[in-house]
Amino acid sequence: MTQRNTNRRELLKAAGLGAAAASILGSASVGRSAQPSRVKKSKLHGMKFDVLVVGGGPAGIGAALGAAGAGAKTMLIENHAFFGGVASWCLGMPINQMRPESKARSKVHELVINELTALGDQAVRIGQHQLWCNVEYLKVAVLNALDKVGCKYLVHTHAVDTVVKNNRVTGVVVATKQGMATIEAGAVVDCTGDGDIAFFAGAETMKEFGKLSPQTLCLSLTNVTSSQLRKVNMRQLAVKARTKYPLIPKGWGLRKVANSDNFYINHAGTRDIGQFDATDPFQRSAAECTSRRQIVQMAQAMREFGGDELNDIELTGAGAQMGVRETRRVKGLYVLTEKDAVDGRTFRDVIAWRSGYLDIGFVRFSKMKVHDVPYRAILPEKLDGLLMAGRCISATHVAASAGKSMGNCVATGHAAGLAAAMSVSKGILPREIKVARLQDALRADGVDLKRGGKVQKGVSAAG
Ligand SMILES: Cc1cc2nc3c(=O)[nH]c(=O)nc-3n(C[C@H](O)[C@H](O)[C@H](O)COP(=O)(O)OP(=O)(O)OC[C@H]3O[C@@H](n4cnc5c(N)ncnc54)[C@H](O)[C@@H]3O)c2cc1C
């Protein structure tokens, strides 16, 4: 299903933000309110940056480090209280494809890894393709990396609309504790995962309800050892426990958090409960609330049905929100396909590559080759002034799953951030930059643009 947000006034009205946004923006895209506004303006209102990155997950971190590292006056805004996105609220799962085959991927990837290792042994365990992090250290490592490149950042800043002039995104409307504000920018990078910015600005987005990958609220646990866990068959436990605890998945595994003795679980989440569209407020609430009940049932099931090995296991935490694998993807000038991923397709306008597995979380897991991402897949088809990175780039439902490893999202973010910085410094639109110059800049940042087409060595389910 393709969506087009043509009537933004209606949408804002439905969200109770119509008059608010209109009076603050004063822009033709939203319209003017005849009434004086009682909506408070945040002191952020009217601030201007070269590059505005919205969303501080893996893609946003890559974009912010890429743009600020290239000298652009960059602002990164994030809805939550910390950066990392899914990497932070999934409590220790591997950040895959950060150093595939133990080779540095880019200056940006290495900056994050270096800031993590600088925090000591508890912060990270580095595998052949992935990082196993303690997320509290990860959150600080990201702050330190942003500081190193002089990137400005704000948390608790939620993007709720855009300013579009002559088909170009020139600003983003945010909600803060002081009220609303428009932040202006020479170029905006949509790293919201959900393509929020593109959607608010009226770009075409793609989302197939009925096929959406499941959402998962990850949990962390203590009072158990690896040797105890080896004696438990979690599938059999789940079969027995499901009568009493109907929300639990059909089995799951526990993995260690970085170098600690604590464990986390990434699991099938909502897969067996129903389809939820995480961009629909009602469905998202239903998924979040059901997931909270689900993880408590999982802990209870393990204690009650796990025999002597698990009767002391204790739930110590859950993610700040459920992890969302898939929602809108923004239609770009090129739409990546499953065939591109399986064949290891290369493109002349390559700006990043994606490695690992084609992985529709707990639904399908199959092999693919390293394949290129063309610049056309991070540019919206029609809208100007905007780039996208991470899980909302232009790809089919299956192809989106081929790029979801976080190292790949950092890579598309890095490229989008550099492209945004380049377009602003040259005073042109992102779609007008010379891709060869962007490729030169990426190579200068340590990106090998010739990895597409290769079969990745030693990649496993964990990597
Ligand atoms: C349960 C689960 C398990 C996974 N397991 C793995 C794994 O083991 N290894 C791996 O490498 N990958 C894994 N993935 C995939 C990977 O985590 C994602 O593909 C990746 O995080 C996507 O990065 P992103 O930056 O595009 O989006 P996200 O990580 O979703 O980050 C988006 C960020 O934008 C912010 N944001 C959203 N909307 C707004 C807004 N309107 N205003 C301001 N901020 C906003 C969000 O708060 C968030 O911080 C998993 C994903 C899930 C959900």
Side-chain angles (χ1 to χ4, degrees), residues 54-60 77-80 82-87 89-90 93-97 157-160 191-194 196-197 200 214-218 255 264 266-267 321-325 359 362 389-392 403-407 409:
V54 187
I77 59 168
E78 164 58 40
N79 180 25
H80 274 278
F82 49 80
F83 298 108
V86 177
W89 54 71
C90 280
M93 74 191 184
I95 304 189
N96 292 333
Q97 307 306 320
T157 304
H158 192 175
V160 293
C191 298
T192 60
D194 301 317
D196 284 3
I197 303 306
F200 296 147
Q215 293 96 24
T216 299
L217 180 62
C218 293
R255 284 185 171 169
Y264 76 94
N266 174 18
H267 55 98
Q321 67 156 74
M322 65 185 188
V324 176
R325 292 183 175 85
D359 177 6
F362 295 90
R391 72 178 164 84
C392 59
K404 81 190 234 307
S405 284
M406 290 185 257
C409 296

Side-chain angles (χ1 to χ4, degrees), residues 122-158:
Q122 288 304 304
V124 63
R125 176 160 51 93
I126 301 182
Q128 198 188 353
H129 301 286
Q130 70 285 86
L131 314 177
W132 303 87
C133 296
N134 176 319
V135 296
E136 297 310 325
Y137 289 82
L138 174 67
K139 291 170 189 170
V140 172
V142 171
L143 295 177
N144 294 346
L146 293 168
D147 288 343
K148 272 234 158 101
V149 295
C151 183
K152 304 262 179 248
Y153 47 85
L154 286 170
V155 292
H156 292 301
T157 304
H158 192 175

Side-chain angles (χ1 to χ4, degrees), residues 46-54 63-64 66-76 149-152 168-172 183-190 384-387 416-430:
M47 281 193 180
K48 181 156 188 179
F49 296 88
D50 294 339
V51 177
L52 175 64
V53 179
V54 187
K73 191 179 159 203
T74 305
M75 167 62 90
L76 169 64
V149 295
C151 183
K152 304 262 179 248
R168 177 179 180 166
V169 178
T170 59
V172 170
I183 306 176
E184 293 169 32
V188 177
V189 189
D190 186 342
D384 282 323
L386 183 71
L387 297 117
L418 271 183
M422 196 174 275
S423 73
V424 174
S425 75
K426 297 204 176 308
I428 55 177
L429 296 171

Side-chain angles (χ1 to χ4, degrees), residues 21-28 30-32:
S23 61
I24 284 193
L25 298 178
S27 123
V30 172
R32 283 175 193 280

